Amino acid sequence: MMPTFTPTPPAPPTTPEANPALSAPGLVAGTARALGVGADAASLYLQLLALARPTDAAVRRWNGWTAARHQAAQAELVAVGAVTAGRRARAGRTAFVLGEWLDAKAPHLPLEGCKLAAHLASASGKDVYAPFLRLLPPVPLHELFERAVREAQEAV
């Protein structure tokens, strides 16, 4: 009889995999070194770079952060030029990775164009075409974070 293999998720089962500090700690450490920021800022950068819906409220919930801790991490990223801060209609957040911005129609939130390929999606005007009703990651989130970093490095 063949033994069965059940892969262990990188994050403990009771924690959100959307928190890269738990699901991809090595990637967070490497991103922090590369950007010259702390671990919180590196985690936030990975979430902004990879996730389709990293609203401020969701990031705080996933990471267990207060508003002040979130703002401090965001300020670090803005200071090194990794993200831009501001307000954009329907985004639900105040930090954005650099690049093309898509003002997608509902049920999607507006998002950065660099995220579409990772979610197997495309856009035409305000329409987003994806395999699911909402933009969902086609791979586990720790893999999505790794892909996003790799693609960002290749784009430079």
Side-chain angles (χ1 to χ4, degrees), residues 7 14 16 19 23 25-26 54 58 67 69 73-74 76 92 95 97 102 107 109 112 119 125 128 133 135-136 142 149:
T14 59
N19 180 347
S23 63
R69 187 171 175 186
Q74 183 172 310
E76 274 190 79
V97 295
L102 299 172
L109 291 180
E112 296 87 345
H119 290 82
V128 174
L133 180 60
L135 288 178
L136 298 174
H142 66 280
V149 168

Side-chain angles (χ1 to χ4, degrees), residues 23-121:
S23 63
L27 188 61
V28 170
T31 301
R33 281 191 304 276
L35 294 176
V37 298
D40 282 355
S43 291
L44 178 59
Y45 180 71
L46 291 171
Q47 289 168 317
L48 294 171
L49 190 63
L51 303 177
R53 302 171 73 90
T55 64
D56 288 347
V59 166
R60 290 177 189 150
R61 185 176 61 252
W62 297 327
N63 298 353
W65 288 352
T66 62
R69 187 171 175 186
H70 183 195
Q71 290 166 353
Q74 183 172 310
E76 274 190 79
L77 293 174
V78 170
V80 298
V83 302
T84 185
R87 297 243 180 238
R88 296 182 184 175
R90 296 181 43 247
R93 58 187 162 118
T94 54
F96 310 91
V97 295
L98 307 175
E100 176 190 14
W101 181 251
L102 299 172
D103 190 20
K105 290 193 303 191
H108 307 291
L109 291 180
L111 75 158
E112 296 87 345
C114 64
K115 297 178 183 180
L116 290 176
H119 290 82
L120 305 178

